[in-house]
Amino acid sequence: MLYGAPTHRLEEYLTMTARALEIEAQFLYIPGCMIISFDDAETRTTEVKLVRLAQGIDLGRLKDVHRIYKEVIHDVIGVEEATAQLEELIAKKAKFHPWLRVLVFGLTSVTAAPFSFDARLIDLPLSFCFGCMVGALQLIVAPLSPLYSNVFEVSATVLISFLARVFGSIRGGDLFCFSALAQAGIVMLLPGYMFLSSSLELQARSIVAGSIRIVYGVIYSLLLGFGITLGAVLYGMIDKNATSALTCKSPMPGTYGFIFVPFFVLCISMLYQAKWKQMPIMVLVAFAGYIVNFYSSKRFTSSPQIASTLGAFAVGALANLYSRFRHGVAAAILIPAIFTQVPGGLASTGGLLSGLQVANEINNVTSAANATSMGSTGLATNTSYIVFGVASSMIQIAIGITVGLFLSALVVYPLGKRRSGLFSF
């Protein structure tokens, strides 16, 4: 839970651990909480423990926890030694300093912008600044104020959307690309991993956890969409000549995006505290998945979900094969690859741009003095439909990735793993 293990398999991992330790126990996972019931057959009593943890991702520590888990399952070390190692691991300081990760946030936006959102070279410095702003708000400001952390996502998207339209309106929109700046700035706020986890849980019949998470993901997406709309509308009220372009003029050729993908994966790996020796295989797997996704999306232009499925199958198969023959942690390898799939898929479905479309319509209707009631009704209907664009696009992408990951696990591990849980998605 704390380091990013596949949530739909947590109960399986704990059940196998209890079996290896000859403990009678039952487990129920809900997001942010694990309910554990220890049964005593002799006294016919039950002791229930509640473990609450905020879900996080730490790829380096996930690998270490997996190593300890395997050693306990295979009787290499005892429970006391494993407990001591876990306590030492939890007490260890973060691999990268928060301010360094703020800079990496900016680099993540820079590297994601060309291959996901058709940004030009001139847009990259501003993308870096916007990414650093979001990183500073998330890593530095939000932890200092519980009150602000509740509105962090909305405030960040409002700020980035507003500034993106400010700079995108220079020279009538010919200098900077408004849509690329707005989307690249908030790339690390996209709830793709959240929707993927919920979809995997539902597919694995974890109805309670999957239902809770997907509802939260939908609300979170609506907040992002509202923030994008609000920021764009605010500047549209100030500047009547604000740009309304939803595409970039003269974007770089799509194949040039291949150059930025490995650097994007490195940035994601650093943000999530991966070990240096994990990064080469992460880059290789994610890059292969992006190539499959890129050419599949060219073939299936009307159905980006198929491209997501094929890309996810490619990364899942490679990661599981690496795990099977090199005894690595497939889940840790897959997470950066999944993050590589999400922004491009969301851009293909137009999810983030729906908020910008709403902003354009609101500004146009507000400025029109002779807007009729029929036009207002049409706007309300269209707006209600478009506002759900981010959430629906995320769900479509998550379903595609889920199917691909499950198929890849089935191909590589057709009979599963007998003694230990499958540390993969």
Side-chain angles (χ1 to χ4, degrees):
M1 291 168 62
L2 190 59
Y3 300 137
T7 55
H8 64 292
R9 301 189 191 274
L10 286 176
E11 296 177 8
E12 176 188 351
Y13 302 150
L14 292 176
T15 300
M16 289 190 170
T17 304
R19 188 184 305 159
L21 299 176
E22 299 180 353
I23 297 174
E24 293 186 15
Q26 300 179 62
F27 307 93
L28 175 63
Y29 171 75
I30 58 177
C33 178
M34 179 68 75
I35 302 173
I36 307 172
S37 171
F38 296 100
D39 302 323
D40 190 336
E42 295 182 358
T43 61
R44 297 183 181 276
T45 58
T46 300
E47 183 179 0
V48 178
K49 295 290 185 181
L50 184 66
V51 180
R52 298 190 63 181
L53 280 176
Q55 185 174 351
I57 300 177
D58 190 316
L59 302 179
R61 297 188 194 187
L62 178 62
K63 180 179 176 62
D64 293 334
V65 170
H66 177 259
R67 175 185 54 79
I68 297 171
Y69 165 78
K70 294 277 287 187
E71 290 177 349
V72 171
I73 290 292
H74 295 285
D75 294 326
V76 177
I77 61 176
V79 176
E80 294 80 6
E81 184 178 353
T83 303
Q85 291 185 20
L86 286 175
E87 291 176 349
E88 181 182 353
L89 185 65
I90 294 172
K92 187 186 299 184
K93 292 184 178 180
K95 185 178 181 66
F96 300 106
H97 193 275
W99 280 110
L100 175 61
R101 293 170 65 197
V102 168
L103 297 178
V104 177
F105 256 87
L107 293 175
T108 304
S109 295
V110 168
T111 52
F115 74 84
S116 294
F117 308 119
D118 295 331
R120 293 88 48 87
L121 290 177
I122 196 172
D123 300 319
L124 300 188
L126 281 177
S127 298
F128 175 78
C129 295
F130 292 167
C132 289
M133 288 181 189
V134 174
L137 291 175
Q138 180 172 343
L139 300 177
I140 307 299
V141 179
L144 299 177
S145 173
L147 185 61
Y148 175 73
S149 64
N150 295 330
V151 295
F152 155 67
E153 291 84 4
V154 175
S155 63
T157 50
V158 169
L159 175 63
I160 298 303
S161 178
F162 181 86
L163 293 177
R165 200 166 194 185
V166 170
F167 287 99
S169 299
I170 297 176
R171 295 184 185 176
D174 293 332
L175 185 59
F176 298 109
C177 180
F178 165 46
S179 62
L181 293 176
Q183 295 177 96
I186 62 170
V187 67
M188 289 308 298
L189 299 180
L190 301 180
Y193 184 74
M194 184 190 309
F195 275 109
L196 175 64
S197 297
S198 65
S199 182
L200 289 168
E201 288 163 350
L202 292 173
Q203 182 72 21
R205 305 297 189 271
S206 298
I207 306 300
V208 175
S211 301
I212 293 173
R213 199 185 302 276
I214 200 168
V215 170
Y216 173 68
V218 169
I219 301 300
Y220 181 94
S221 299
L222 295 179
L223 290 175
L224 288 186
F226 176 74
I228 293 173
T229 302
L230 182 59
V233 166
L234 289 177
Y235 184 72
M237 294 173 60
I238 299 172
D239 184 2
K240 301 302 180 183
N241 297 318
T243 181
S244 299
L246 300 179
T247 57
C248 298
K249 298 179 180 179
S250 304
M252 288 188 289
T255 52
Y256 281 30
F258 292 170
I259 301 173
F260 294 90
V261 174
F263 298 102
F264 175 78
V265 179
L266 288 176
C267 292
I268 291 290
S269 303
M270 292 182 66
L271 284 178
Y272 293 118
Q273 313 282 344
K275 298 177 182 291
W276 293 111
K277 60 183 179 181
Q278 291 177 284
M279 294 184 185
I281 186 62
M282 289 178 177
V283 172
L284 180 63
V285 170
F287 188 65
Y290 175 76
I291 292 176
V292 173
N293 188 300
F294 178 81
Y295 287 107
S296 299
S297 62
K298 299 295 183 184
R299 176 65 178 84
F300 304 102
T301 54
S302 60
S303 183
Q305 300 86 353
I306 296 179
S308 297
T309 300
L310 295 176
F313 178 81
V315 299
L318 291 174
N320 286 317
L321 286 172
Y322 176 81
S323 174
R324 181 154 198 166
F325 295 109
R326 300 286 297 176
H327 304 289
V329 185
I333 298 170
L334 279 171
I335 288 177
I338 291 169
F339 275 94
T340 307
Q341 303 279 325
V342 170
L346 188 60
S348 299
T349 56
L352 289 178
L353 293 180
S354 61
L356 306 181
Q357 294 173 7
V358 174
N360 291 339
E361 295 190 12
I362 291 175
N363 287 135
N364 291 338
V365 170
T366 302
S367 61
N370 58 348
T372 63
S373 59
M374 183 64 71
S376 300
T377 304
L379 172 66
T381 303
N382 196 26
T383 300
S384 300
Y385 172 75
I386 291 177
V387 162
F388 284 89
V390 179
S392 62
S393 299
M394 278 293 180
I395 293 174
Q396 293 173 32
I397 296 167
I399 290 174
I401 295 176
T402 298
V403 173
L405 292 178
F406 267 109
L407 288 176
S408 65
L410 180 63
V411 169
V412 180
Y413 294 98
L415 301 178
K417 299 183 73 174
R418 296 181 180 179
R419 294 191 61 183
S420 61
L422 178 60
F423 251 73
S424 181
F425 289 96

